[in-house]
Amino acid sequence: MSQAPAPPAEAGGGAPPRPNAVVAVLAFAGIVVSLMQTLVIPIVPELPRLLDAPASDTAWAVTATLLAAAVATPVMGRLGDMYGKRRMLLVSIVLLVSGSVVCALSDALVPMIVGRVLQGLASGVIPLGISIMRDELPAERLGSATALMSASLGIGGALGLPAAALIADSFDWHVLFWTSAGMGVAAFVCVVLFVPESRVRTGGRFDLVGGAGLATGLVCLLLAISKGADWGWTSGTTLGLFAAAGVILLAWGWWELRTDQPLVDLRTTARRQVLVTNLASIAVGFAMFAMSLVNPQVLQLPTQTGYGLGKSMLIAGLCMAPSGLVMMATAPVSAAISRAKGPKVTLMVGVLIIAAGYSLNIVLMSEVWHFVLVACVIGAGVGFGYGSMPALIMSAVPASETAAANSLNTLMRSLGTSSASAVAGVILAQMTLNLGGSAVPSENAFKVVLAVGAGAALLAFVVASFIPRQGGAAAAGKPMEPKGAAEPAGAKS
């Protein structure tokens, strides 16, 4: 098997990149960053006591990370295209380590929120890693590598829950953050040693107005989605945030179409293949997250409800963990289907598997092994779906815009997961039963959420059917050649 000539690296003494090492290091970094999603889940009920603050305030330990990630993902992608993807990858990991240390040293609400914001700012690692793979890997390795990197977003979330629960049960809660800091340091060292810097860059001037506009619009939108249930969906605050988000994002779009060096090239984004893939990504993100909102709760609810299994957080996490392992295992299968039939087919197959998993979940909710089986089925579907998206995006954009385009796609998935959390919260709050004087979601409420998740997967199937039929390089999963930039390593094999 012949190797592509590598570009001069800024690290590693100018030696050609080793594909296996590059893939392993970038996937590890992606998993470390995605662990931040579930890192605090086991201690959320205890945060009011641990931080001596009301529960409504400690909820910002989760919300702050979500908002920071939404802002950082497109910004880091654009900066990576301009100034170097490896450089911005290292900056992102430094932010993660800094945030972890701040949280590990905190015993109050404000430093905890500051640390969680810094952790959220590291979310650009996954799209940056996909873009580095495009530039550095030989063509025959690219499909399976980017599928694994894309799926690491789900892998880390699935594996992180039982690991975090085990640490929280066995040690002081600060150990959670010291552990994440240590993993971040390990990822940083590995990137420095094994990942070269790409020579594919756009240069130019960063769009500060576009960055500020997108950040403000996204914060308003996601704040309304994530806090609407607490504030009231018809409250002035929630409606005002939705209205502000609409106005700001429309103004941002107007600016991006008229500036010479936009943060996001909306003309490229409006290409049918990119636009439809991003729309499908929202539905896939919604469908993926519904399982995470339902199954751990059912597993942990007391048996007195008639449907809860009364298990611990650790057992619930272990039941979800197989989905992450299955996502990892399906990465090469996803790439093989994309090479043979095109990534559009892979995406459509993946969302059908997700819909089948939710349908199965509706009728199988009474035994622990039911939840393990469902996690595996849905994990396989997510692995196929997430694995196909980078191939669809990269075959439609030039190499000089890879990081920005993949960052926007990652953001679309995050919008889907945020929407799933909001919708599920409304359903579970409205359909309840009384248990010892407390209202808990009913069994039918959970089944409705699962049905909505299946519906989102079917919607993704319909949307994906409008992706243009691919031929030639796109059908083979090969990326579009860069415009006006040096040819990236891996373009030939």
Side-chain angles (χ1 to χ4, degrees):
M1 181 182 298
S2 60
Q3 295 288 338
E10 291 185 9
R18 289 175 280 178
N20 290 338
V22 170
V23 172
V25 168
L26 292 177
F28 172 68
I31 291 172
V32 170
V33 169
S34 60
L35 287 172
M36 299 308 106
Q37 301 175 83
T38 50
L39 184 68
V40 299
I41 297 298
I43 62 171
V44 164
E46 300 296 321
L47 283 178
R49 178 182 61 83
L50 296 173
L51 301 178
D52 192 23
S56 58
D57 292 340
T58 58
W60 284 98
V62 177
T63 306
T65 306
L66 168 71
L67 299 178
V71 172
T73 300
V75 171
M76 283 298 184
R78 178 60 179 150
L79 290 173
D81 282 334
M82 292 175 62
Y83 303 119
K85 304 175 184 75
R86 175 178 176 270
R87 179 176 299 168
M88 300 317 300
L89 180 69
L90 291 171
V91 169
S92 297
I93 296 174
V94 168
L95 289 171
L96 183 148
V97 173
S98 301
S100 299
V101 171
V102 170
C103 290
L105 295 174
S106 69
D107 286 301
L109 180 63
V110 172
M112 170 65 80
I113 292 176
V114 170
R116 291 291 288 164
V117 167
L118 290 171
Q119 287 182 323
L121 292 175
S123 62
V125 162
I126 292 174
L128 287 168
I130 293 171
S131 304
I132 291 172
M133 288 175 173
R134 178 182 187 176
D135 295 345
E136 301 301 328
L137 297 182
E140 65 271 13
R141 292 294 308 275
L142 185 60
S144 59
T146 55
L148 176 61
M149 190 71 197
S150 181
S152 68
L153 184 64
I155 294 169
L159 299 181
L161 186 58
L166 179 62
I167 293 173
D169 285 346
S170 305
F171 304 99
D172 179 79
W173 65 277
H174 293 92
V175 176
L176 283 171
F177 298 101
W178 287 121
T179 302
S180 65
M183 295 177 70
V185 170
F188 183 93
V189 172
C190 290
V191 169
V192 170
L193 293 177
F194 299 109
V195 178
E197 180 62 272
S198 168
R199 66 187 178 193
V200 181
R201 301 184 189 180
T202 61
R205 174 180 53 82
F206 182 74
D207 179 15
L208 287 174
V209 174
L214 182 60
T216 305
L218 287 174
V219 167
C220 290
L221 177 61
L222 290 173
L223 201 54
I225 291 174
S226 60
K227 304 295 287 186
D230 296 332
W231 295 337
W233 292 106
T234 58
S235 70
T237 302
T238 303
L239 294 178
L241 285 170
F242 275 126
V247 172
I248 292 170
L249 291 176
L250 283 174
W252 170 79
W254 177 88
W255 169 265
E256 293 297 280
L257 289 171
R258 284 159 178 77
T259 187
D260 292 334
Q261 298 178 356
L263 176 71
V264 177
D265 188 342
L266 294 182
R267 292 179 177 84
T268 298
T269 305
R271 291 174 185 168
R272 183 177 169 187
Q273 182 166 319
V274 178
L275 177 62
V276 177
T277 300
N278 284 334
L279 292 175
S281 298
I282 297 174
V284 175
F286 188 108
M288 180 200 78
F289 203 60
M291 173 184 67
S292 302
L293 296 168
V294 170
N295 290 358
Q297 290 193 61
V298 176
L299 283 162
Q300 293 178 83
L301 280 172
T303 55
Q304 290 88 336
T305 59
Y307 57 88
L309 301 187
K311 304 300 180 182
S312 66
M313 169 67 80
L314 178 58
I315 296 298
L318 290 173
C319 289
M320 301 295 291
S323 66
L325 300 176
V326 172
M327 287 180 209
M328 192 181 301
T330 53
V333 181
S334 168
I337 296 175
S338 294
R339 283 194 300 269
K341 301 294 183 180
K344 172 183 175 178
V345 172
T346 309
L347 176 57
M348 296 177 75
V349 169
V351 294
L352 285 181
I353 294 174
I354 294 173
Y358 279 117
S359 301
L360 198 63
N361 204 175
I362 292 173
V363 297
L364 295 179
M365 296 180 63
S366 58
E367 301 288 344
V368 170
W369 69 267
H370 291 171
F371 294 92
V372 175
L373 173 63
V374 166
C376 290
V377 174
I378 295 177
V382 172
F384 281 1
Y386 275 17
S388 65
M389 290 172 189
L392 286 165
I393 295 295
M394 290 191 297
S395 62
V397 302
S400 58
E401 299 175 18
T402 303
N406 278 312
S407 295
L408 186 61
N409 181 254
T410 302
L411 176 61
M412 294 301 104
R413 301 186 222 175
S414 298
L415 288 176
T417 57
S418 301
S419 301
S421 179
V423 171
V426 170
I427 294 171
L428 297 179
Q430 295 298 318
M431 303 175 64
T432 62
L433 56 83
N434 187 282
L435 180 67
S438 300
V440 297
S442 66
E443 183 178 15
N444 284 335
F446 290 118
K447 290 185 176 181
V448 168
V449 174
L450 295 174
V452 171
L458 294 176
L459 176 61
F461 178 86
V462 173
V463 173
S465 68
F466 289 95
I467 296 173
R469 182 179 295 275
Q470 297 163 297
K478 296 177 183 177
M480 183 178 179
E481 293 298 331
K483 293 181 179 180
E487 184 182 48
K492 299 177 182 177
S493 60

